Amino acid sequence: LLFNLISSLPGTMSATAASAQDQVLSPTSEEGDDKLKAGGKRVTFPSDEDIVSGAVEPKDPWRHAQNVTVEEILSAYRQACQKLNCKPIPKVLKQIQELKDLTQRNECLDLKGEKLDYKACESLEEVLKRVQFKVVDLEQTNLDEDGASALFDMIEYYESATHLNISFNKHIGTRGWQAAAHMMRKTSSLQYLDARNTPLLDHSAPFVARALRISGSLAVLHLENAGLSGRPLMLLATALKMNMNLRELYLADNKLNGLQDSAQLGNLLKFNYNIQILDLRNNHIQDSGLAYVCEGLKEQRKGLVTLVLWNNQLTHNGMGYLAAALPCTQSLETLNLGHNSVGNEGVHKLKDGLIANRSVLRLGLACTKLSCEGAVAVAEFIAESPRLLRLDLRENEIKTGGLMALSLALKVNTSLLRLDLDREPKKETVKSFIETQRALLAEIQNGCKRNFILAKEKEETEQKMRQSASMAEIATEDGTREEEGTSTEEQTERDVKDNEEEGGTKGITVTESPVPPGTPPSPGRCISVSSPGRGHKIFMVTRVESPPEQQQLQKDTGQTGAPAAPNQDLAKEATKKPTEASTPKTQETQLLLTSQSSNEGTQKPADLSQPRTPTVSCGQELEELLLDASLETGRDAP
């Protein structure tokens, strides 16, 4: 019945009727050929001139930005607001009026704190299509999905920003993150994205992960307090294994745990050698998670430069994993372990790994429950380190004994430029120790300042040497070198070079240190003896001798006392305290044994008559460190 009913409907036919019609419409091949021949049907194409009927040019994002004026931008923005029935934002009007050069990127479009609904976002297109910016600040602008999608599409299309801040926007939703991911993937100008306190949940993370997998320009990504623990972090870490451009990754305050989350971070470090800064502060990594992170850290030969583990519930047990990883990494320069329960036992474990490491320049141990015992272990590392630049020991119970160890370590260390300690002395049972602590704190700061001066002078010397490196060596007609104008430093370097070339068979360099102005008269003179050792070691001996003994030493070595190179700090210390220096076993002979970095073996040996100083890459960095050291040490920044 149903079939008959369907068949009776208009426009339908029975199967039999359909079959019959097919036979009528589809004749046999012979019949079809005959009809084609009879009808003479042909397939023809238009001529080359007529084959293209029209063309559409691609949209030019900058067709509105040519020869535009500030007045035209203001007028266009006001008209857009009137059309969309929304009020112009006073902050935007003021910033448009202050624009100077419209042909280059302007510094910032600041919308921080403004409430941007969809209409307000749409009206901003009249500005973004005419002006590019370095920074577009959308922090705390109450963006919803529609407004965020519109703005991110504009920023992607018009290449509006190199730095974008979308932090503290909790309602951009899935569509907003999808538009943000499209922007990250497509734009070639975006280098910095700040999305702090902007939740990236499970349903939004896949879009961002897909963008990070192929992102071509993003170098800095802030995702603090974005709810990444679990699947979002897994997706991001998996994608970042293939990312070749990201340099800085900030994942603080995400409640990352010591199991799956830390395992993902460890795997990321095993495969990605391009990330230079990894900030994991204020998470729950714990000792179990640190084990995973350290497994990845062992693979970082030329990658990670800064690792921040501030406040991650670490204890002395986790320091064993870190101590095992430190000798393997060759790029890590900054390690921050502040606000963890490292304790004295943890520092003892960490010490050997730090000594074996050849890259760490800055170490943060603030509020790590250290006492004098831990400070002594840290002092041993300072005395052994030829490259440590900064150390933070604030908020620890380091009293007189620990300060004394640190002060003694700084007498032989020539690299440490800043040592942060609590300004106020710690309470002691003996009241006189309070003043002793103040004196020791002053000695420590003076030691750091001395190292600054040494580093600055060495940098200036190296700059002069680089400037004169292109000059040809002066030679006489018979090929002998002209030695008349040779300085003491250059002569010392040549002596060392000759010594190394002959297998260390030449004599030891002996120089007499001049008495610094203002120093009390001393019964003896200070002699600095330096000699290249075997392999990669350098021996430097400073001792105080009486004049007859000094003359005998000169006769034995066959050399006369030559003026010493500047900055003989160990010699100055011995000269300033002749009574202490006369002690036979403690101060009479000081031996400083420093290890060169592994890549120094092929370089020209340094001037061994000077204490070793850290190699500073440029004068600007040194000036910045000098400025930092001149400030008070009570700063609270981690």
Side-chain angles (χ1 to χ4, degrees):
L1 179 62
L2 182 61
F3 177 79
N4 293 333
L5 181 60
I6 294 174
S7 300
S8 63
L9 291 175
T12 62
M13 63 182 69
S14 64
T16 305
S19 177
Q21 187 172 2
D22 289 342
Q23 290 180 0
V24 174
L25 296 177
S26 303
T28 60
S29 58
E30 294 180 359
E31 294 175 350
D33 293 341
D34 293 340
K35 289 183 177 180
L36 284 175
K37 291 178 181 178
K41 292 183 179 180
R42 297 288 189 274
V43 177
T44 59
F45 294 93
S47 62
D48 292 342
E49 293 79 8
D50 301 328
I51 194 168
V52 178
S53 60
V56 178
E57 291 293 330
K59 291 183 178 181
D60 179 15
W62 302 115
R63 62 186 182 275
H64 300 287
Q66 298 174 358
N67 301 321
V68 71
T69 64
V70 172
E71 289 74 17
E72 290 174 350
I73 299 174
L74 285 170
S75 176
Y77 176 61
R78 289 195 178 100
Q79 289 177 9
C81 291
Q82 185 177 2
K83 183 178 179 181
L84 292 166
N85 195 23
C86 65
K87 293 182 179 180
I89 301 173
K91 185 185 286 189
V92 174
L93 293 173
K94 182 180 179 182
Q95 292 178 76
I96 294 174
Q97 291 172 348
E98 294 173 352
L99 294 176
K100 301 297 183 183
D101 187 0
L102 300 178
T103 61
Q104 297 180 352
R105 285 191 182 274
N106 284 265
E107 283 300 321
C108 181
L109 176 61
D110 184 9
L111 295 165
K112 182 177 180 180
E114 298 288 336
K115 291 187 177 181
L116 301 179
D117 57 12
Y118 175 73
K119 292 181 179 180
C121 293
E122 282 289 341
S123 64
L124 288 172
E125 184 171 10
E126 297 301 324
V127 179
L128 297 177
K129 69 167 59 172
R130 293 172 172 85
V131 188
Q132 285 182 312
F133 299 91
K134 294 178 182 177
V135 179
V136 174
D137 191 349
L138 302 173
E139 180 176 334
Q140 206 168 354
T141 49
N142 201 28
L143 289 174
D144 57 11
E145 285 189 287
D146 294 331
S149 301
L151 273 178
F152 297 156
D153 287 344
M154 295 174 202
I155 293 171
E156 179 266 316
Y157 186 67
Y158 298 113
E159 301 274 347
S160 298
T162 59
H163 290 54
L164 177 62
N165 184 358
I166 61 171
S167 57
F168 291 90
N169 285 289
K170 299 183 178 181
H171 305 291
I172 68 173
T174 303
R175 285 194 291 116
W177 273 116
Q178 189 173 4
H182 186 267
M183 171 188 63
M184 294 161 59
R185 187 171 67 252
K186 292 293 185 180
T187 182
S188 59
S189 63
L190 188 64
Q191 302 170 10
Y192 179 108
L193 178 63
D194 187 349
R196 293 169 294 125
N197 297 279
T198 302
L200 179 60
L201 304 179
D202 288 7
H203 46 273
S204 303
F207 302 113
V208 178
R210 196 174 301 116
L212 290 174
R213 187 188 300 268
I214 57 175
S215 175
S217 62
L218 195 64
V220 181
L221 180 59
H222 283 266
L223 288 173
E224 294 97 330
N225 192 24
L228 296 182
S229 180
R231 186 168 179 265
L233 181 68
M234 182 268 291
L235 293 171
L236 293 177
T238 303
L240 286 174
K241 290 178 186 177
M242 306 179 188
N243 186 295
M244 304 292 289
N245 298 287
L246 195 69
R247 295 292 180 267
E248 301 178 17
L249 181 60
Y250 298 86
L251 301 176
D253 301 288
N254 277 294
K255 299 181 180 178
L256 304 182
N257 59 52
L259 298 174
Q260 294 89 346
D261 294 338
S262 298
Q264 294 297 335
L265 294 172
N267 285 330
L268 173 60
L269 291 177
K270 286 182 180 179
F271 290 96
N272 187 312
Y273 307 132
N274 300 292
I275 295 176
Q276 297 176 358
I277 297 178
L278 180 60
D279 187 349
L280 301 174
R281 74 184 68 194
N282 300 331
N283 282 298
H284 305 151
I285 299 296
Q286 300 181 331
D287 295 331
S288 57
L290 185 59
Y292 289 112
V293 173
C294 288
E295 286 300 314
L297 192 60
K298 290 179 181 178
E299 305 296 329
Q300 292 288 319
R301 298 289 191 267
K302 294 182 180 180
L304 196 65
V305 176
T306 299
L307 178 61
V308 180
L309 294 168
W310 174 280
N311 189 24
N312 265 286
Q313 303 171 19
L314 306 178
T315 71
H316 62 87
N317 294 321
M319 296 304 103
Y321 304 122
L322 201 51
L326 283 172
C328 300
T329 178
Q330 299 176 10
S331 60
L332 189 67
E333 295 181 359
T334 300
L335 176 62
N336 196 334
L337 297 170
H339 281 253
N340 289 293
S341 300
V342 176
N344 298 331
E345 185 177 350
V347 169
H348 277 291
K349 292 180 180 179
L350 198 60
K351 180 190 69 174
D352 294 334
L354 288 169
I355 293 175
N357 174 274
R358 294 183 177 273
S359 63
V360 172
L361 304 177
R362 303 167 198 87
L363 179 63
L365 292 172
C367 193
T368 49
K369 298 187 178 180
L370 300 184
S371 64
C372 291
E373 180 186 350
V376 171
V378 174
E380 292 175 4
F381 166 55
I382 294 174
E384 292 284 344
S385 174
R387 59 185 62 83
L388 186 67
L389 298 178
R390 181 181 178 186
L391 177 63
D392 190 352
L393 292 175
R394 289 171 295 180
E395 301 179 59
N396 286 299
E397 285 299 315
I398 300 176
K399 300 183 180 180
T400 307
L403 293 177
M404 190 174 297
L406 294 172
S407 177
L408 290 174
L410 267 169
K411 293 184 185 299
V412 295
N413 177 283
T414 58
S415 67
L416 190 61
L417 305 179
R418 178 171 174 178
L419 176 54
D420 291 321
L421 291 162
D422 294 328
R423 286 187 296 174
E424 295 299 322
K426 305 294 181 181
K427 293 183 179 180
E428 293 268 23
T429 54
V430 182
K431 291 184 178 180
S432 61
F433 284 178
I434 302 295
E435 294 302 321
T436 304
Q437 287 187 43
R438 288 197 173 95
L440 290 170
L441 286 169
E443 285 184 15
I444 290 170
Q445 294 307 317
N446 289 334
C448 291
K449 291 178 181 178
R450 178 205 66 204
N451 289 346
F452 266 114
I453 297 172
L454 289 175
K456 187 174 180 62
E457 290 179 350
K458 181 175 180 180
E459 175 67 17
E460 292 174 352
T461 302
E462 290 178 351
Q463 286 180 352
K464 292 179 181 178
M465 292 177 65
R466 285 194 293 267
Q467 291 173 357
S468 60
S470 58
M471 298 176 61
E473 185 177 11
I474 301 175
T476 58
E477 290 182 358
D478 60 354
T480 58
R481 291 186 298 180
E482 196 74 43
E483 297 284 354
E484 295 178 359
T486 305
S487 66
T488 305
E489 295 179 2
E490 293 172 343
Q491 183 62 46
T492 306
E493 288 186 2
R494 289 176 184 174
D495 291 342
V496 173
K497 185 175 181 181
D498 294 339
N499 195 7
E500 285 197 345
E501 290 175 352
E502 297 182 15
T505 58
K506 294 194 73 173
I508 298 174
T509 303
V510 181
T511 56
E512 180 180 357
S513 176
V515 178
T519 303
S522 171
R525 279 181 268 181
C526 183
I527 305 299
S528 175
V529 184
S530 60
S531 170
R534 297 179 180 272
H536 300 290
K537 302 293 183 183
I538 296 176
F539 295 89
M540 296 176 62
V541 181
T542 302
R543 56 187 301 165
V544 174
E545 300 285 358
S546 62
E549 293 174 343
Q550 185 225 357
Q551 294 174 2
Q552 184 65 34
L553 177 64
Q554 292 176 353
K555 291 179 181 178
D556 294 341
T557 57
Q559 299 185 14
T560 58
N567 304 319
Q568 295 282 350
D569 290 285
L570 297 178
K572 290 179 181 178
E573 288 293 329
T575 309
K576 289 178 182 178
K577 300 181 180 180
T579 56
E580 296 180 9
S582 61
T583 306
K585 294 185 180 180
T586 57
Q587 295 290 340
E588 181 180 352
T589 302
Q590 297 179 18
L591 176 63
L592 174 62
L593 173 60
T594 58
S595 302
Q596 291 178 320
S597 59
S598 58
N599 60 350
E600 288 180 346
T602 58
Q603 297 177 354
K604 188 175 182 179
D607 184 359
L608 302 184
S609 63
Q610 297 185 11
R612 283 180 55 83
T613 55
T615 301
V616 183
S617 59
C618 62
Q620 182 179 2
E621 179 181 355
L622 184 60
E623 292 295 336
E624 292 174 357
L625 289 170
L626 182 59
L627 179 62
D628 287 342
S630 65
L631 301 176
E632 295 190 6
T633 60
R635 297 169 61 185
D636 296 327

